[in-house]
Each structure stands twice: as structure tokens, then as C-alpha cells.
């Protein structure tokens, strides 16, 4: 919501169908990423703590999505480098001495694939934000919970709960309305 509010306050003009699409896409992504307790979902002893961490994470992600296009005006490569440098520093601070136990194995090159995909996705997001409205691009770029459902169903044989299936459908309708 942070980049949506920022974009709207900076002059992004939404058609009524796009506004409905935003709501459907966001609600659908939340529904699609929901875990069904009956399907082996884990329960947490402190749901309020989990909600606080999730909310803080969502705000931080929103600030990142809002700041990145602005930072890229001085060069996409520098914006990507700065974002990844801060990420590595934060992980280093958080993990601390536990990182000392890591050992290089033959599988280490495979471990770079997610990082490379993350950098590619970030670059594509910056490019999209340069050519479109931040309020729309940020929502479309945040639909990864729905995108990951596809390979889970197709490759791993996972089954969607009714709520998750409705979320995927709502997201797809929302994306179609945003693009209209």
C-alpha cells in the first residue's frame, strides 16, 4: 500500500476499473498466500508477534518499492548495487556469527540462482516503474505469492484450498482490470 498511496499523492490517475483491479489483486494475493490449517499449516504461539513482524516487513517492502525507482534516476546499476549492499549488511548484522559456519560446497553455484533472479526482477521492476504509474507497477510487482502458486501446483503437486483458489482468480481478474 505504501507505493500505491505515494503514487496517488504524486498524481497517478486511476481509472475506476484500475482501482477495482488494485483492490482485487491485493486481496487476491493475500488470499492466495494464506495457509490452510487443515492442510498441515503450522500454528504459531504468538499470533500478535507474527502480525507485528509481517506488518513491519510489509511497510519496509513498500518503502523499498517506493524508493527504488527514485534512486534509479541516478543510475539503475547503482540503485541495484546499493539495495543489495544494504541487504547483505542487514543479513550480516542479523545472522552475526552464525554465518561463520557456512562452508563452500559443489552446490554453491546453484545457490546464486535465486540472487540472480532477484536482481533481474528488481531491474525489471525499476524499468517498469520508469514507464508506468508507480501505484499500478508496484501492485503488479508484488504479486509473487500468486506467481509461486503455479509452479507449486504444476511441479510439486500441491493442492490449493478453496480460499487460495479464489485468491488466484481474484488476482487474475484484478490484473486484467489494471491492464484495461
Amino acid at each position: 500500500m505504501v507505493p500505491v498511496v505515494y503514487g496517488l499523492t504524486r498524481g497517478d490517475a486511476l481509472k475506476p476499473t484500475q482501482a477495482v483491479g488494485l483492490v482485487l489483486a491485493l486481496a487476491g494475493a493475500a488470499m492466495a498466500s494464506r495457509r490452510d490449517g487443515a492442510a498441515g499449516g503450522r500454528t504459531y504461539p504468538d499470533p500478535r508477534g507474527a502480525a507485528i513482524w509481517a506488518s513491519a516487513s510489509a511497510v519496509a517492502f513498500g518503502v523499498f518499492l517506493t524508493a527504488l525507482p527514485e534512486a534509479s534516476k541516478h543510475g539503475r546499476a547503482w540503485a541495484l548495487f546499493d539495495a543489495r549492499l544494504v541487504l547483505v549488511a542487514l543479513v550480516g548484522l542479523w545472522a552475526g556469527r552464525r554465518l561463520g559456519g557456512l562452508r563452500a560446497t559443489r552446490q554453491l553455484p546453484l545457490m546464486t540462482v535465486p540472487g540472480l533472479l532477484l536482481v533481474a526482477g528488481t531491474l525489471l521492476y525499476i524499468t517498469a516503474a520508469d514507464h508506468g504509474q508507480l501505484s499500478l507497477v508496484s501492485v503488479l510487482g508484488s504479486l509473487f505469492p500468486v506467481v509461486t502458486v503455479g509452479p507449486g501446483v504444476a511441479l510439486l503437486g500441491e493442492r490449493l484450498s478453496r480460499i487460495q483458489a479464489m485468491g488466484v482468480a481474484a488476482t487474475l481478474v484484478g490484473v486484467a482490470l489494471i491492464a484495461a
Side-chain angles (χ1 to χ4, degrees), residues 4-66:
V4 172
V5 171
Y6 180 81
L8 292 174
T9 59
R10 301 274 301 211
D12 286 358
L14 301 180
K15 298 178 204 172
T17 55
Q18 290 175 322
V20 171
L22 284 175
V23 172
L24 280 173
L26 289 170
M31 291 166 60
S33 61
R34 182 179 180 273
R35 274 187 108 164
D36 186 11
R42 184 174 163 195
T43 58
Y44 295 94
D46 181 17
R48 277 185 268 146
I52 290 169
W53 279 105
S55 298
S57 173
V59 170
F61 191 57
V63 170
F64 173 73
L65 290 177
T66 303

Side-chain angles (χ1 to χ4, degrees), residues 51-156:
I52 290 169
W53 279 105
S55 298
S57 173
V59 170
F61 191 57
V63 170
F64 173 73
L65 290 177
T66 303
L68 195 57
E70 197 65 35
S72 73
K73 289 181 180 174
H74 302 291
R76 288 187 183 123
W78 284 112
L80 281 171
F81 177 75
D82 292 346
R84 297 306 150 223
L85 186 64
V86 168
L87 178 63
V88 168
L90 289 174
V91 167
L93 286 173
W94 177 72
R97 292 184 179 169
R98 290 179 281 192
L99 292 174
L102 293 177
R103 300 287 177 247
T105 66
R106 291 176 24 200
Q107 296 172 338
L108 187 62
L110 283 177
M111 294 174 59
T112 62
V113 172
L116 294 172
L117 290 172
L118 179 63
V119 169
T122 306
L123 183 59
L124 290 170
Y125 172 78
I126 293 169
T127 304
D130 285 347
H131 297 322
Q133 295 184 47
L134 181 63
S135 55
L136 298 176
V137 170
S138 64
V139 170
L140 294 174
S142 300
L143 296 179
F144 56 87
V146 177
V147 174
T148 58
V149 168
V153 170
L155 301 176
L156 302 176

